[in-house]
Amino acid sequence: MTTQQNSAAAIRSADQLAVLRARRGSTVKTALHGVGLIVVLFGTLFPFLWMVLTSFKTGAQITATPPLVFFEGTLDHYRTILGDQYNVGQSLITSLIVSVSATALAVLLGTPAAYALARFEFKRKDDLWFWFISNRFMSPVVIILPVYLLASQLKLIGNPGLLIAMYLTFSIPVVVWICTDQFRSIPRELDEAAMVDGASPAFIFLRIALPLALPGVVVSSILSFIFSWNELLFALFLTRGSGVTAPVKATSFLSGYDVPWGEIMATGTLIVLPVIIFSLLVSRHLVQGLTMGAIK
Amino acid sequence: MHTQKRLTPFFFLAPAVVILALVGIYPLVFAAWVSLHNYLLAQPNIPHDFVWLSNYLTVIRDSSFWGSIGRTLFYLAVALPLEIVLGLAIAFMLRRGRWAHLRGFARVMLVIPLAMTPVVTGLIGRLIFNQQFGVVNYVQTSLSSNKIGTEWLGNPTLAFVTILVLEIWQWTPFAALIFLSGLTAVPAEVEEAATLETRSFWVMLRSIQLPFLLPALTAILILRTADILKQFDMVYTLTSGGPGSSTELINLYITRIGLRGAFDQGVASAQALLMLVLTTVLSRLYIRYLYKGDNA
């Protein structure tokens, strides 16, 4: 009787021990998981936060060792870069005009093309699709050389229209890639029903297919806008003087011997902050857009 | 009626095709012409003689050209696997377990590096890897006995490490978010049923989650390879290819020959066209073997 009780107690305590062990194991695991998440979060955010922090430091505070985390901030760098000497405000406006125009044109030209690729049958359709997509892979370096030569002969260097046209080399493919998939996902029966009713292809595209493909249009516009806003290579060689885009302006501060760190970081903050706020607002769409077109 | 129907796709496609041909193909044709001529920007008075394939011979014999290609491929071979492994690890961390709020917050914040203008990433790199007052050197000198800060951007090997660190910082979140959306597609019932059979993480990964992760992996491989071969902005801002030519990736080299230093458009165009052939072959192979779309 007693031995039985004893062994039962032993079994119970062994069970409890196992449970305790498992629980301790999972506590350790949970703790490590939390630490890992904090490390990832810190690593992701640190460069961005450090830039913003630096933009509010005085020159002496920036070069201080150890680096300062708490300090009395200043807005001087922002005043300087928005003043006449640096004129970053104008570059931001140029960037905005160029990015919005390139995106709008890409949607205007790209969505009908995507619709045709998704819906109609014609010869060499696959090759055409591949040609659109392959532009996404083409290095801008390949076209910047001839475009620079042609534009200097035609005295087009510095013309924002030229830059917008060059941005179409990547924004049209993005729109075509994402929207072709989107149009394919819409049931064909909807088009066919409208066709039976005598609707023209243009009407079907504009009134039936396009509204249903709106998520794809939104996602590809977001991507096209961000790509254009962030672009450097074309802008570096095709804009100049007061017509440069914001990324080109930011690199121009590095040329002197004395690097104006505060001004550079303030400019960097003004360039990335709007895009980051915008991206956080649409983050769900953005992630979807990065995978759409690439994942089926 | 019949011809009209056959012409419909033509009307939908024509605008995009014409514009893209104008900004994308016409410059290429001109580049091909330039690559067969003697074309020095710095000496406009020298006639542009037809030189047959001598520019191509110059490129093929140019060890700096092959050096920059090798460097670019090495950059790809180191950065891409690390981005994939780290991205997958982060995706699993973000997927489930405790810390729901922290996971949700981290997931949203991962968008920040993606939206960050690469030029600004390069500028931040210059700040935090600065020898005198950079944060990296502060941490390093506090932790080690070496009290003189490392010259990150002045040493060929370390400068290359620096561009890799920033590349991986900026694009690992991209891999993480794409993997995460792949994992979200795994049916919960299937996974729960599998946990009754096995507790091994690796078995789960291989037999349950892998089919959902493969399309994500394909997308990451295609898009990152394309963008790494195009890499210019961040490296241009951070090191301009230096010190020496230690971080001079292919696009920095081509622009230096054509537009920034030597101004030899003939040779640079030949380099760019060889580069185009390389990327076209690569993207064809990638799309054919990895991206099994309806069109490929």
Side-chain angles (χ1 to χ4, degrees):
Chain A
M1 185 73 186
T2 43
T3 44
Q4 224 172 2
Q5 262 179 347
N6 274 351
S7 65
I11 288 169
R12 210 179 301 133
S13 68
D15 267 0
Q16 278 168 345
L17 204 64
V19 166
L20 272 177
R21 261 199 204 127
R23 200 175 287 160
R24 193 181 303 143
S26 76
T27 318
V28 171
K29 233 176 169 178
T30 309
L32 280 177
H33 187 185
V35 171
L37 282 169
I38 287 170
V39 168
V40 167
L41 201 56
F42 180 78
T44 305
L45 292 180
F46 178 77
F48 170 69
L49 293 178
W50 195 248
M51 166 183 72
V52 177
L53 212 60
T54 305
S55 73
F56 293 112
K57 289 179 182 176
T58 63
Q61 287 166 343
I62 291 171
T63 53
T65 39
L68 298 173
V69 178
F70 301 102
F71 55 91
E72 207 175 316
T74 168
L75 285 171
D76 280 356
H77 303 305
Y78 287 93
R79 266 182 226 117
T80 316
I81 59 166
L82 293 173
D84 287 339
Q85 191 201 340
Y86 286 92
N87 223 337
V88 169
Q90 194 182 5
S91 303
L92 288 168
I93 293 171
T94 307
S95 278
L96 186 68
I97 293 172
V98 170
S99 311
V100 169
S101 312
T103 304
L105 279 172
V107 169
L108 195 69
L109 297 163
T111 49
Y115 180 71
L117 288 169
R119 276 294 186 267
F120 301 122
E121 294 308 322
F122 48 91
K123 268 187 209 164
R124 315 205 52 133
K125 183 168 117 166
D126 295 356
D127 291 328
L128 192 64
W129 179 84
F130 181 79
W131 177 63
F132 274 114
I133 302 313
S134 65
N135 277 281
R136 172 76 178 75
F137 294 88
M138 189 167 67
S139 173
V141 167
V142 180
I143 33 183
I144 186 62
L145 299 164
V147 166
Y148 179 81
L149 283 185
L150 291 166
S152 10
Q153 281 164 10
L154 299 169
K155 308 238 175 309
L156 279 175
I157 304 276
N159 187 324
L162 176 67
L163 196 60
I164 294 167
M166 294 330 294
Y167 283 3
L168 293 179
T169 55
F170 54 82
S171 53
I172 290 180
V174 166
V175 172
V176 169
W177 195 344
I178 291 176
C179 291
T180 305
D181 278 355
Q182 183 79 58
F183 281 124
R184 276 208 201 104
S185 70
I186 303 168
R188 229 171 234 273
E189 290 75 36
L190 285 173
D191 291 34
E192 279 156 10
M195 223 179 302
V196 170
D197 290 345
S200 70
F203 180 88
I204 297 172
F205 166 67
L206 283 173
R207 292 297 172 82
I208 296 168
L210 199 57
L212 290 171
L214 206 59
V217 177
V218 170
V219 163
S220 54
S221 309
I222 293 168
L223 289 181
S224 155
F225 178 84
I226 293 177
F227 288 164
S228 308
W229 178 270
N230 288 347
E231 205 276 344
L232 174 73
L233 184 61
F234 283 127
L236 188 64
F237 298 109
L238 298 180
T239 63
R240 56 177 54 154
S242 56
V244 298
T245 60
V248 180
K249 180 71 99 179
T251 60
S252 69
F253 300 161
L254 292 169
S255 50
Y257 182 73
D258 239 349
V259 179
W261 288 109
E263 281 75 11
I264 290 176
M265 291 303 137
T267 306
T269 306
L270 290 186
I271 295 174
V272 301
L273 209 56
V275 195
I276 285 180
I277 291 173
F278 176 62
S279 306
L280 290 178
L281 290 176
V282 298
S283 70
R284 207 162 283 268
H285 291 290
L286 190 72
V287 175
Q288 194 191 353
L290 293 168
T291 53
M292 271 167 86
I295 296 185
K296 293 234 162 184
Chain B
M1 187 64 201
H2 188 66
T3 37
Q4 200 198 336
K5 212 175 174 182
R6 266 207 356 232
L7 282 176
T8 310
F10 175 79
F11 288 122
F12 277 92
L13 282 160
V17 171
V18 168
I19 297 290
L20 207 52
L22 205 64
V23 294
I25 292 188
Y26 175 62
L28 283 184
V29 175
F30 187 63
W33 184 85
V34 171
S35 74
L36 299 171
H37 290 75
N38 192 8
Y39 215 119
L40 295 164
L41 275 189
Q43 292 149 290
N45 298 326
I46 292 180
H48 301 173
D49 290 330
F50 181 69
V51 292
W52 297 96
L53 292 174
S54 89
N55 287 329
Y56 288 89
L57 279 178
T58 310
V59 177
I60 287 169
R61 290 202 201 106
D62 178 8
S63 60
S64 306
F65 175 74
W66 296 110
S68 68
I69 289 210
R71 216 170 283 129
T72 310
L73 293 178
F74 181 67
Y75 180 87
L76 176 71
V78 176
L80 191 52
L82 281 172
E83 285 166 11
I84 287 170
V85 170
L86 292 173
L88 192 59
I90 294 173
F92 273 109
M93 274 161 76
L94 292 180
R95 188 167 172 235
R96 67 164 56 126
R98 296 278 294 279
W99 318 108
H101 291 295
L102 198 58
R103 283 188 291 118
F105 183 62
R107 187 182 187 151
V108 173
M109 289 300 129
L110 280 185
V111 168
I112 288 182
L114 295 184
M116 182 82 99
T117 313
V119 167
V120 177
T121 308
L123 293 170
I124 296 172
R126 276 185 176 238
L127 178 72
I128 60 182
F129 285 97
N130 186 287
Q131 192 189 1
Q132 280 99 43
F133 54 85
V135 190
V136 174
N137 269 353
Y138 171 69
V139 173
Q140 199 202 355
T141 48
S142 327
L143 294 180
S144 74
S145 54
N146 169 16
K147 290 301 161 204
I148 309 159
T150 309
E151 205 185 349
W152 288 96
L153 299 170
N155 171 304
T157 313
L158 294 178
F160 201 85
V161 171
T162 311
I163 62 170
L164 279 171
V165 167
L166 288 174
E167 157 77 34
I168 290 163
W169 171 78
Q170 182 151 31
W171 296 108
T172 296
F174 171 78
L177 289 171
I178 292 189
F179 277 134
L180 189 60
S181 74
L183 281 176
T184 322
V186 181
E189 317 84 64
V190 175
E191 231 176 11
E192 272 162 31
T195 45
L196 300 177
E197 299 287 327
T198 179
R199 306 203 62 170
S200 157
F201 171 80
W202 298 108
V203 174
M204 285 289 279
L205 178 65
R206 209 175 54 223
S207 44
I208 307 294
Q209 290 148 347
L210 195 64
F212 296 90
L213 287 171
L214 276 182
L217 181 65
T218 308
I220 296 164
L221 282 177
I222 292 180
L223 295 171
R224 279 322 298 153
T225 305
D227 286 344
I228 284 177
L229 293 177
K230 288 200 280 190
Q231 174 63 276
F232 176 85
D233 302 7
M234 184 269 283
V235 180
Y236 174 78
T237 329
L238 187 63
T239 64
S240 297
S245 58
S246 56
T247 55
E248 194 166 54
L249 302 182
I250 181 67
N251 286 344
L252 283 111
Y253 182 65
I254 295 178
T255 54
R256 180 160 70 79
I257 297 299
L259 296 166
R260 295 189 288 133
F263 294 109
D264 190 334
Q265 283 276 334
V267 169
S269 298
Q271 290 170 341
L273 287 168
L274 286 176
M275 180 69 188
L276 178 70
V277 172
L278 181 82
T279 49
T280 310
V281 170
L282 210 61
S283 60
R284 275 249 166 202
L285 288 176
Y286 257 72
I287 290 186
R288 263 199 208 275
Y289 291 104
L290 291 174
Y291 180 68
K292 296 184 185 89
D294 301 340
N295 287 305

